[in-house]
Amino acid sequence: MELRRSKRARRSTLPDFYVYLQESEHDMLGKDDPENFKQAIMGEDNERWLAAMKSELESIRKNGVWELKVLPQGCKPIGCKWVYKTKRDSKGAIDRYKARLVAKGYTQQ
């Protein structure tokens, strides 16, 4: 007895004409977000970025995300950095300023 096979033509899951853009390549208004803390506090929207950072720190404290511990002998601490993003609505107007404190996980071994 012979197995029954489908006669349907197979096609690729992703067509060849898709182009993947990075978020910065199709930013509607072209406004650059700060790359680091210094740019955030020296820029024209510094009060909004500071408010976003305070909100993030308050959220971290309220949710008990981390606790201070004594570092064991011979271990190096993992650093952290701020990541800034301007959130926009569907019309391109600034909706809010978002700041996140993230660990530099790429430094751990």
Side-chain angles (χ1 to χ4, degrees):
M1 182 173 203
E2 191 175 335
L3 291 176
R4 192 174 115 189
R5 302 278 182 199
S6 172
K7 294 181 177 39
R8 184 183 312 175
R10 294 182 183 234
R11 54 180 196 190
S12 173
T13 55
L14 289 176
D16 295 334
F17 58 85
Y18 278 111
V19 176
Y20 296 98
L21 299 175
Q22 291 185 1
E23 188 173 355
S24 61
E25 293 176 4
H26 60 84
D27 192 7
M28 287 195 263
L29 297 178
K31 182 178 180 196
D32 295 329
D33 294 330
E35 294 287 326
N36 54 40
F37 179 77
K38 187 175 181 179
Q39 287 179 0
I41 62 171
M42 296 295 198
E44 58 188 39
D45 295 329
N46 60 353
E47 290 149 5
R48 292 183 178 106
W49 289 120
L50 285 171
M53 288 186 281
K54 286 180 184 176
S55 173
E56 173 71 1
L57 289 174
E58 179 60 28
S59 173
I60 288 172
R61 187 198 59 76
K62 186 177 91 174
N63 293 322
V65 173
W66 52 267
E67 355 176 304
L68 288 176
K69 297 283 186 177
V70 176
L71 195 63
Q73 187 72 22
C75 294
K76 293 181 182 178
I78 296 174
C80 60
K81 71 175 187 172
W82 286 101
V83 176
Y84 303 97
K85 181 68 185 154
T86 305
K87 296 296 185 175
R88 299 181 181 277
D89 61 14
S90 60
K91 296 178 182 172
I94 295 175
D95 189 31
R96 68 186 185 110
Y97 292 83
K98 186 174 179 180
R100 291 287 177 247
L101 188 61
V102 297
K104 293 182 180 179
Y106 56 85
T107 59
Q108 67 188 34
Q109 295 181 0

